[in-house]
């Protein structure tokens, strides 16, 4: 008989099941309230006291062990189980030592959030840092999230913070260092960043915010030690950081582990096309990405195409914000191919991308065919005309979860507006916001939108300002909405005389065209 290899099994010991946790609570309740060596020495608790303390002990011990396990996710969890048991034993003894009147409150965990960002923006030096950061030095503190935003750290303060942060690296999950070196000379700011980076190296962070620090490439590399060491990062924010193409390339180089990344924000940087290509590499390595923001980053067609193609890997995408870039129609069409693949997209922000009709039609068609339950659709400022209205109307009609529709600063006019309004008439029970301001809309378009709004319970705001609605048209809209006048936005920028002027212009254009044709008319004596 041929030898056969034995089957191997991988058994995970962590986390314990809920019944196991409940059984442990019951055993600890018994240990705290029954006769044992320790209760003989320190006194026992009543059954109620014991039960409440046991629940809190188990909760604290589980949280501590779970943090430990997250640093060794590939193990079997054996060391986490040992720590879980050890913490329970230690806390039981602490409760008993306090005596039989010990209250459950005696072991209530400390606050988990440490935030010094409130109040006025200010510099912070060594002496103030010593006082301000004292809670972080308390033994057994439970802080998992720190926010140092809005306080500018000097070298002295950074050196005070360094050993404190190093001591917390195993428990911190969320670190917000946005705007924390404001007003400091570059040399000092970079050194402060280096200190914080080294102190937090090897931590188990799930979220890191380095926004509003004018990092540039030097700043990104100053945080290199930390960035390279992060293996569990789920959220990274680098907004308003002066992320140039060189800085973007540094980000791509220094963050090797993005498999767990779910949120990536790069708003308001000077990334440009070459930088966008580097960011696209990060996106490609982030298959679980759910929330991507790359707005106001000076990205043109080449970078837009690169980002669009990279996003194809991110099939879990829920929120996409690419506003205020220079994509143009080519990148718009490329993006449409990616949007068609998404099934979970709820918010899409595509305003001010120079999409024009071609890009807008491609995107509208893609979203219409996708399974994504769109709740927010923004396509303002894209030079969209009535030519794209039917595609947008069909898209909107298919998206019954729609809550907010923003199509302001386009050229849809009455015809386009009426088509889109009709697509919203049926159902769309969650619709609350429509913005069709600055679209050359006149009386007919405004009336069509107002009639839609009256059918939507819970509707909040209709913005049709900046159009050319006549005074009669405005009064008609107000009459339609007389039961809910609060939903109509301000009309301060509406030009009631614009309707007549546009009609006059149309007539003048017609006369000019006729005159031009008459000039070319040839008279033939033979006729």
């Amino acid at each position: 008989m041929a030898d056969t290899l034995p089957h191997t099994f991988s058994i995970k010991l962590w986390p314990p099941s809920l019944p196991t946790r409940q059984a442990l609570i019951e055993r600890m309740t018994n240990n705290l309230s029954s006769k044992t060596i320790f209760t003989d020495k320190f006194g026992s608790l009543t059954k109620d006291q014991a039960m409440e303390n046991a629940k809190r002990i188990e909760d604290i011990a589980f949280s501590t062990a779970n943090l430990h396990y997250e640093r060794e996710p590939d193990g079997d969890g054996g060391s986490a189980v040992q720590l879980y048991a050890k913490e329970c034993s230690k806390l039981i003894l602490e409760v008993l030592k306090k005596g039989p009147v010990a209250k459950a409150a005696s072991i209530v965990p400390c606050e988990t959030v440490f935030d010094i960002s409130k109040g006025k923006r200010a510099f912070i030096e060594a002496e103030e840092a010593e006082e301000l950061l004292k809670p972080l030095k308390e033994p057994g503190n439970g802080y998992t999230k720190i926010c140092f935003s809005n306080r500018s750290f000097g070298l002295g303060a950074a050196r005070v913070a360094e050993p404190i942060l190093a001591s917390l690296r195993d428990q911190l999950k969320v670190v917000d260092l946005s705007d924390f070196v404001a007003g400091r000379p570059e040399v000092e700011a970079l050194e402060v960043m280096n200190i914080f980076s080294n102190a937090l190296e090897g931590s188990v962070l799930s979220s890191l915010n380095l926004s509003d620090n004018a990092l540039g490439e030097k700043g990104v590399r100053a945080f290199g030690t930390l960035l390279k060491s992060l293996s569990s990062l789920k959220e990274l924010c680098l907004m308003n950081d002066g992320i140039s193409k060189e800085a973007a390339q540094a980000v791509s180089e220094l963050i090797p582990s993005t498999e767990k990344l779910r949120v990536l924000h790069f708003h308001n940087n000077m990334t440009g096309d070459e930088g966008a290509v580097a960011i696209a590499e990060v996106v490609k390595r982030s298959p679980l990405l759910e929330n991507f923001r790359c707005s106001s980053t000076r990205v043109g067609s080449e970078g837009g195409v690169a980002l669009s193609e990279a996003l194809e890997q991110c099939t879990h995408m829920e929120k996409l914000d690419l506003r205020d870039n220079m994509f143009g129609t080519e990148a718009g069409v490329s993006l449409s191919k990616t949007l068609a693949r998404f099934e979970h997209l709820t918010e899409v922000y595509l305003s001010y991308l120079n999409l024009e009709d071609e890009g807008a039609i491609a995107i509208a068609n893609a979203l219409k065919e996708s399974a994504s339950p769109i709740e927010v659709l923004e396509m303002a400022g894209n030079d969209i005309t009535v030519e794209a209205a039917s595609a947008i109307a069909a898209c909107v009609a298919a998206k019954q979860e729609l809550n907010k529709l923003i199509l302001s600063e386009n050229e849809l006019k009455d015809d386009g507006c009426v088509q889109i309004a009709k697509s919203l008439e049926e159902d769309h029970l969650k619709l609350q916001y429509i913005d069709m301001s600055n679209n050359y809309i006149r009386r007919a378009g405004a009336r069509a939108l107002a009639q839609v709004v009256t059918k939507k319970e819970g509707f909040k705001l209709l913005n049709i300002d900046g159009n050319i609605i006549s005074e009669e048209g405005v009064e008609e809209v107000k009459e339609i909405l007389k039961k809910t006048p609060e939903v109509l936005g301000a009309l301060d920028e509406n030009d009631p005389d614009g309707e007549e002027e546009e009609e006059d212009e149309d007539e003048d254009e017609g006369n000019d065209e006729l005159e031009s044709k008459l000039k070319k008319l040839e008279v033939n004596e033979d006729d």
Side-chain angles (χ1 to χ4, degrees):
M1 187 179 205
D3 292 337
T4 57
L5 291 173
H7 292 290
T8 58
F9 296 92
S10 176
I11 299 174
K12 287 284 187 181
L13 301 176
W14 190 267
S17 66
L18 288 177
T20 299
R21 294 179 65 183
Q22 186 58 42
L24 179 60
I25 291 171
E26 291 172 5
R27 285 200 300 274
M28 288 192 294
T29 300
N30 189 56
N31 289 339
L32 289 166
S33 59
S34 302
K35 183 177 176 64
T36 66
I37 296 173
F38 296 108
T39 56
D40 281 346
K41 183 175 182 180
F42 301 111
S44 61
L45 306 185
T46 67
K47 200 73 174 178
D48 288 343
Q49 288 175 334
M51 174 64 79
E52 192 156 353
N53 274 282
K55 287 179 179 178
R56 293 181 182 275
I57 287 171
E58 193 280 333
D59 186 56
I60 295 169
F62 178 84
S63 297
T64 302
N66 202 47
L67 281 173
H68 172 81
Y69 177 70
E70 287 181 1
R71 289 184 288 129
E72 51 152 34
D74 296 325
D76 64 2
S79 59
V81 171
Q82 290 176 359
L83 181 59
Y84 181 49
K86 182 180 176 182
E87 286 294 305
C88 285
S89 298
K90 182 183 77 173
L91 292 170
I92 286 173
L93 196 56
E94 286 181 8
V95 169
L96 289 175
K97 283 180 178 179
K98 292 179 182 295
V101 295
K103 300 293 183 184
S106 64
I107 59 162
V108 171
C110 300
E111 290 290 328
T112 59
V113 179
F114 182 79
D115 187 352
I116 61 171
S117 66
K118 305 297 186 289
K120 292 183 179 179
R121 196 184 203 190
F123 278 27
I124 176 173
E125 304 301 343
E127 187 176 347
E128 186 182 358
E130 287 278 7
E131 186 63 30
L132 204 56
L133 304 182
K134 263 185 182 178
L136 294 176
K137 297 169 71 174
E138 293 177 3
N141 75 72
Y143 293 115
T144 58
K145 176 179 178 179
I146 59 171
C147 179
F148 288 175
S149 181
N150 205 39
R151 304 302 294 269
S152 180
F153 279 72
L155 269 177
R159 291 189 178 114
V160 169
E162 183 176 16
I164 298 173
L165 293 177
S167 71
L168 299 174
R169 61 162 64 107
D170 288 343
Q171 70 186 62
L172 289 177
K173 305 291 287 181
V174 178
V175 170
D176 185 345
L177 299 178
S178 59
D179 193 25
F180 87 122
V181 289
R184 300 288 180 179
E186 181 182 283
V187 174
E188 182 180 18
L190 291 173
E191 183 59 29
V192 168
M193 292 177 193
N194 265 306
I195 290 172
F196 274 76
S197 176
N198 291 330
L200 291 167
E201 180 187 6
S203 53
V204 290
L205 300 186
S206 61
S207 175
L208 177 63
N209 188 351
L210 300 177
S211 301
D212 302 311
N213 283 310
L215 293 176
E217 183 187 7
K218 291 179 181 178
V220 170
R221 294 196 180 280
F223 274 108
T225 302
L226 171 60
L227 293 174
K228 285 179 181 178
S229 72
L230 297 176
S231 60
S232 302
L233 198 63
K234 295 180 181 178
E235 180 173 343
L236 177 64
C237 294
L238 294 167
M239 298 186 288
N240 192 32
D241 268 333
I243 302 292
S244 60
K245 68 175 184 180
E246 294 83 6
Q249 289 161 355
V251 169
S252 180
E253 170 195 333
L254 294 171
I255 310 180
S257 180
T258 57
E259 293 87 356
K260 298 179 181 179
L261 203 62
R262 286 174 168 78
V263 179
L264 184 59
H265 285 184
F266 279 98
H267 170 69
N268 195 29
N269 284 298
M270 49 185 184
T271 312
D273 279 342
E274 292 181 67
V277 171
I279 298 305
E281 291 302 312
V282 178
V283 172
K284 283 180 186 177
R285 303 195 301 265
S286 309
L288 299 182
L289 206 59
E290 298 172 354
N291 184 332
F292 181 58
R293 186 179 186 187
C294 196
S295 50
S296 303
T297 47
R298 307 183 189 179
V299 177
S301 181
E302 180 186 351
V305 170
L307 286 173
S308 299
E309 292 175 349
L311 285 165
E312 287 183 8
Q313 314 297 321
C314 307
T315 55
H316 298 274
M317 189 65 63
E318 296 176 3
K319 183 176 179 179
L320 180 63
D321 187 350
L322 299 171
R323 284 175 288 190
D324 191 23
N325 283 299
M326 299 168 283
F327 276 29
T329 56
E330 183 183 356
V333 171
S334 178
L335 179 62
S336 72
K337 297 172 184 176
T338 296
L339 294 176
R341 298 167 59 92
F342 294 161
E343 296 181 358
H344 310 287
L345 195 63
T346 58
E347 298 180 33
V348 56
Y349 301 90
L350 303 176
S351 296
Y352 310 106
L353 291 177
N354 297 331
L355 295 175
E356 300 182 1
D357 286 337
E358 183 181 353
I361 290 170
I363 286 170
N365 288 338
L367 289 175
K368 173 194 160 191
E369 297 301 326
S370 78
S372 290
I374 303 294
E375 297 173 8
V376 178
L377 177 59
E378 273 202 23
M379 294 179 71
N382 276 303
D383 295 324
I384 301 171
T385 73
V386 68
E387 295 298 321
S390 61
I392 294 174
C395 170
V396 167
K399 300 302 173 183
Q400 289 296 320
E401 299 295 313
L402 198 64
N403 174 269
K404 183 182 292 186
L405 178 63
I406 310 295
L407 292 169
S408 55
E409 297 185 59
N410 284 301
E411 299 175 28
L412 289 164
K413 299 187 177 180
D414 272 358
D415 286 349
C417 181
V418 169
Q419 288 183 58
I420 294 168
K422 285 183 177 178
S423 73
L424 293 166
E425 286 179 347
E426 299 299 323
D427 300 321
H428 287 92
L429 304 179
K430 298 180 181 180
L431 189 64
Q432 292 184 324
Y433 301 92
I434 297 176
D435 188 346
M436 294 285 277
S437 57
N438 297 288
N439 260 292
Y440 301 99
I441 296 171
R442 294 185 280 187
R443 183 174 185 172
R447 180 175 60 242
L449 288 170
Q451 288 169 340
V452 165
V453 167
T454 60
K455 302 174 183 178
K456 310 301 176 188
E457 187 177 348
F459 194 87
K460 293 185 177 178
L461 181 63
L462 171 64
N463 185 0
I464 50 174
D465 201 11
N467 285 302
I468 49 175
I469 308 165
S470 66
E471 292 181 0
E472 293 81 3
V474 170
E475 290 305 313
E476 186 176 2
V477 167
K478 289 181 177 179
E479 177 62 24
I480 293 170
L481 298 174
K482 63 182 178 182
K483 292 184 178 179
T484 54
E486 69 280 0
V487 305
L488 181 62
L491 292 169
D492 299 339
E493 302 299 321
N494 181 60
D495 181 6
D497 299 321
E499 185 167 355
E500 294 177 8
E501 290 174 6
E502 183 162 289
E503 287 172 352
D504 291 342
E505 287 173 8
D506 290 344
E507 188 175 330
D508 289 341
E509 286 175 7
N511 289 335
D512 290 344
E513 186 178 353
L514 177 62
E515 186 176 337
S516 175
K517 288 179 178 178
L518 287 172
K519 284 180 180 178
K520 296 176 183 177
L521 185 65
E522 293 182 2
V523 178
N524 193 324
E525 290 182 20
D526 294 336
D527 290 345

